[in-house]
Amino acid sequence: MEPQPVVVVMGVSGTGKTTVGRLLAAALHVRYADGDDFHPPRNVAKMAAGTPLDDADRRPWLDAVGAWARERGDRGGVVSASALKRAYRDRLRAAAPDAVFVHLAGDRDLIGRRMAARTGHFMPVELLDSQFAALEPLGSDERGVVVPVDGTPEETARLALDALRGLRGPGGRPHGGPAGGCPPR
């Protein structure tokens, strides 16, 4: 059986990381983990109160996500995590060097409308601007793809799968830098 990559579905809140991540995991026949589940309760409470997390808040969360990714090894997996800054992605790659990123990208108005319409999530729409301000696009040396989220979740997942297949190098392992259809902002 061919080794599977660990895919990190990244982007600002409201892009559909959980929904698309689950669809990708099902299509790839690998396990899915929601990055939100790795947050300590104090992080969730802070975000729910409308306070953005700082780097110190994110470190233990990133380490927990990275540990999950490392444990998946060649079995592969899909995990959703905002991973907005290059430093955050570097921290995840330090734990799981073969991780590949799928950046779900859309414009602020679309994402804001989606966030306003969802229920039962701790992240308030008021924090969206701070997320866009923190967002650093994938660098040309980062393994990953940028996928627009202006379609349905199923369409977005299909675009992501196609883009991931385009990254596969010799032996089926992902390689290369960003590809895909839309700018990160």
Side-chain angles (χ1 to χ4, degrees), residues 20-174:
V20 172
R22 286 181 176 142
L23 291 168
L24 284 175
L28 294 170
H29 307 288
V30 296
R31 190 168 165 205
Y32 171 75
D34 191 322
D36 287 343
D37 294 339
F38 295 95
H39 276 296
R42 73 179 186 287
N43 281 9
V44 174
K46 192 172 182 179
M47 289 183 283
T51 305
L53 299 180
D54 59 28
D55 288 351
D57 296 323
R58 286 189 182 91
R59 276 193 282 280
W61 171 70
L62 289 165
D63 291 344
V65 172
W68 183 90
R70 181 181 55 249
E71 290 168 6
R72 296 306 303 159
D74 284 344
R75 294 174 292 162
V78 176
V79 61
S80 59
S82 54
L84 299 176
K85 293 182 179 181
R86 170 71 185 246
Y88 304 161
R89 297 187 299 272
D90 288 346
R91 195 169 185 107
L92 292 173
R93 271 191 298 274
D98 291 331
V100 61
F101 292 84
V102 172
H103 176 188
L104 300 183
D107 70 51
R108 194 320 184 175
D109 291 337
L110 171 66
I111 306 299
R113 286 192 307 273
R114 288 182 178 182
M115 284 183 75
R118 71 182 180 182
T119 59
H121 195 278
F122 61 83
M123 179 69 103
V125 71
E126 293 79 24
L127 290 181
L128 186 56
D129 289 333
S130 71
Q131 293 225 321
F132 271 104
L135 179 62
E136 296 173 1
L138 287 172
S140 61
D141 62 332
E142 292 184 87
R143 255 188 305 204
V145 296
V146 179
V147 179
V149 297
D150 52 357
T152 67
E154 293 77 15
E155 290 167 339
T156 302
R158 251 191 324 277
L159 287 172
L161 283 169
D162 289 346
L164 286 169
R165 286 184 186 112
L167 283 180
R168 294 207 179 259
R173 299 299 288 180

